[in-house]
Amino acid sequence: MVQFVHPSTQDITLAGLLGALADPMRLRIVSSMLQRDGCMSCSEAAPCPNMAKSTLSHHFRILREAGIIHTGKVGVENRNVLRIEDINSRFPGLLEQILKFGG
C-alpha cells in the first residue's frame, strides 16, 4: 500500500510553498481545488485534460511535499484536499494572495 508523505504544519516553509506554486500548472491545480472547495481526484484537478499521468503525479507530489495538499487513498483513487487551515496557521492569507494575483 502506498504511504504518502505529508509534512507537519510546523514543517511547512515559505520557501517550499513559493517553490511549489512557482510552476503555472501547479498554480492552476491549486486554484481549481480552491474553487471547488472539496476533495478532488488528481484527474479532476488536472489543469489540462491531456496531461500525462506521470506529469500529473509529479505535480501532486510536489504540492503534497510542500504541505499544500493532503492526499489519501479512496479505493483505487487518490483524493486530494487543500491544507488551507495549516497554511493559514503558518502564513495567514498567503495562499489567497498568491492565487489572487497569479491564479
Side-chain angles (χ1 to χ4, degrees):
M1 177 169 229
V2 176
Q3 294 283 19
F4 295 110
V5 176
H6 300 95
S8 63
T9 302
Q10 60 268 21
D11 290 334
I12 296 173
T13 65
L14 182 59
L17 289 174
L18 295 176
L21 294 173
D23 183 276
M25 290 299 143
R26 289 192 288 272
L27 196 57
R28 287 177 59 187
I29 289 168
V30 172
S31 179
S32 148
M33 291 180 73
L34 190 61
Q35 290 172 9
R36 294 271 305 264
D37 192 34
C39 189
M40 296 177 77
S41 70
C42 295
S43 58
E44 289 173 327
C48 304
N50 298 329
M51 183 176 278
K53 285 187 178 185
S54 59
T55 303
L56 196 54
S57 293
H58 170 74
H59 286 308
F60 275 87
R61 180 183 56 80
I62 290 174
L63 292 171
R64 185 173 46 254
E65 290 176 355
I68 297 171
I69 63 171
H70 184 274
T71 304
K73 254 328 194 194
V74 177
V76 296
E77 192 172 56
N78 293 339
R79 303 296 292 177
N80 305 282
V81 293
L82 289 176
R83 295 179 60 183
I84 295 172
E85 296 82 19
D86 293 336
I87 295 168
N88 280 335
S89 74
R90 295 276 295 139
F91 309 103
L94 178 68
L95 187 58
E96 290 80 7
Q97 286 298 313
I98 290 171
L99 293 172
K100 179 178 171 183
F101 293 103

